[in-house]
Amino acid sequence: MVDRYADALSRLLELVVVLNDDMTRHLAGTGLTVPRATLIWELQHRGPSPQRVLAEALGVSPRTITGLVDGLVETGYVTREPHPGDRRAVAVTLTAQGRAVAEAFVAGRAELGRRLFAHLPAQRFAHFDRTVAEIVTTLREETA
Amino acid sequence: MVDRYADALSRLLELVVVLNDDMTRHLAGTGLTVPRATLIWELQHRGPSPQRVLAEALGVSPRTITGLVDGLVETGYVTREPHPGDRRAVAVTLTAQGRAVAEAFVAGRAELGRRLFAHLPAQRFAHFDRTVAEIVTTLREETA
DNA sequence: TATTGTTATACTCTATAACTATA
DNA sequence: TATAGTTATAGAGTATAACAATA
């Protein structure tokens, strides 16, 4: 092939696919999906949150959050608690089970990070990480 | 932050999100979705193909391909032609409109590749690209 | 018998619009 | 009036299982 930039982009898109597959596969055992796991991840960082905040954090509509929270309530990962100070709102809250998987996510991320990066020469790792960060910035600017 | 590998993985997952958003946004104008565009991309590389082959190429079930092809037929991107030599099968075939967007994909990929990579120092680009390829390989092995 | 694709059915994620309860 | 969340409705992607046509 002649266009090495286009080829590199193709490999990067390939990476998107395999990373998504990897997450989905690891989640399979927990009965969670990627959007639901993302919501749990946010809750662990933010603590109990109204659904409106979660909608903005995940970049989806309030209606979508209703559905995701419904599923997580049914499967025992979160509860809807009354929001102190606003009776219209709820405080979506992790259960013990929810906190347990959230901690497993943190451990799993650390382990995968080691497996993917720990063997790399320091400079190559630094170049990779810096380039990833720059690409995110570039694509973000274009969106705005 | 303490765990630089976990942090690098977080940035990489962030990249997955923004790349997906970027694709979805660019596709919006054509009325296509990412799975449908992926199918068109495969058809351009493979030429007219039975649905069975497309199911394997995309890693989805035959039923899912039926739905994707239905949508692409409705919107004028492909047709179902009789398969020469097997009357059970169809030959999913790009229309002129389908070939036109497929060519636009090629051009768009080249342009985005340039915008993301052309400004990088040669060694950094090489390190990035090589690392992406290695990660894909690592994750692929684990799947098998 | 085995394979190709469809129909039947179901679940998840996604959205917009109308509505309820509260601020 | 404005905001938080739900109900109603709809469409896309995904899957399994049963089935028809053909190999």
Side-chain angles (χ1 to χ4, degrees):
Chain A
M1 298 216 199
V2 279
D3 187 339
R4 60 192 177 146
Y5 298 136
D7 292 346
L9 179 53
S10 289
R11 283 186 280 276
L12 184 54
L13 294 175
E14 198 55 38
L15 176 57
V16 169
V17 171
V18 297
L19 264 177
N20 235 304
D21 290 351
D22 186 79
M23 283 188 289
T24 303
R25 192 153 21 84
H26 276 87
L27 254 22
T30 65
L32 288 168
T33 59
V34 169
R36 289 182 191 182
T38 306
L39 206 162
I40 289 176
W41 185 264
E42 285 295 327
L43 282 175
Q44 207 209 22
H45 284 13
R46 294 166 181 270
S49 309
Q51 296 188 183
R52 174 76 198 295
V53 169
L54 298 171
E56 277 159 20
L58 268 66
V60 299
S61 72
R63 178 62 186 89
T64 297
I65 294 295
T66 297
L68 293 177
V69 172
D70 284 351
L72 288 168
V73 168
E74 270 177 33
T75 49
Y77 289 101
V78 307
T79 57
R80 283 187 172 97
E81 304 296 333
H83 188 289
D86 190 341
R87 282 189 297 177
R88 294 171 304 180
V90 298
V92 181
T93 305
L94 288 174
T95 61
Q97 179 188 346
R99 288 192 301 273
V101 290
E103 277 160 33
F105 291 164
V106 173
R109 190 187 58 153
E111 197 255 322
L112 181 57
R114 272 195 308 279
R115 209 166 75 248
L116 295 183
F117 302 129
H119 64 93
L120 295 179
Q123 196 196 23
R124 181 139 75 89
F125 171 69
H127 278 169
F128 173 80
D129 189 29
R130 182 173 158 203
T131 304
V132 167
E134 283 182 10
I135 292 176
V136 169
T137 302
T138 301
L139 290 173
R140 278 262 174 70
E141 278 166 3
E142 162 185 324
T143 310
Chain B
M1 301 207 198
V2 279
D3 187 339
R4 61 191 176 146
Y5 299 137
D7 292 346
L9 180 54
S10 289
R11 283 186 280 278
L12 184 54
L13 294 175
E14 198 55 37
L15 176 57
V16 169
V17 171
V18 297
L19 263 177
N20 236 303
D21 289 351
D22 186 78
M23 282 188 290
T24 303
R25 192 154 19 85
H26 276 87
L27 253 24
T30 65
L32 287 167
T33 59
V34 169
R36 290 182 190 181
T38 306
L39 207 162
I40 289 175
W41 184 264
E42 285 295 328
L43 283 175
Q44 205 208 23
H45 285 14
R46 296 165 181 272
S49 308
Q51 295 188 184
R52 171 83 196 299
V53 169
L54 297 171
E56 278 159 19
L58 269 64
V60 299
S61 71
R63 178 61 186 89
T64 297
I65 295 294
T66 298
L68 293 176
V69 172
D70 284 351
L72 288 168
V73 167
E74 269 177 33
T75 47
Y77 289 101
V78 308
T79 56
R80 283 187 172 97
E81 303 296 332
H83 188 289
D86 189 342
R87 280 189 299 176
R88 295 171 304 181
V90 298
V92 181
T93 305
L94 288 174
T95 61
Q97 179 189 344
R99 289 192 301 274
V101 290
E103 277 160 33
F105 292 164
V106 173
R109 189 187 58 153
E111 196 256 322
L112 182 58
R114 272 196 308 278
R115 208 167 73 247
L116 295 182
F117 303 127
H119 65 92
L120 295 179
Q123 197 197 22
R124 182 140 74 88
F125 171 70
H127 279 169
F128 172 81
D129 189 29
R130 183 172 156 201
T131 305
V132 168
E134 283 183 11
I135 293 176
V136 169
T137 303
T138 302
L139 291 173
R140 279 262 174 71
E141 277 165 5
E142 162 184 325
T143 311

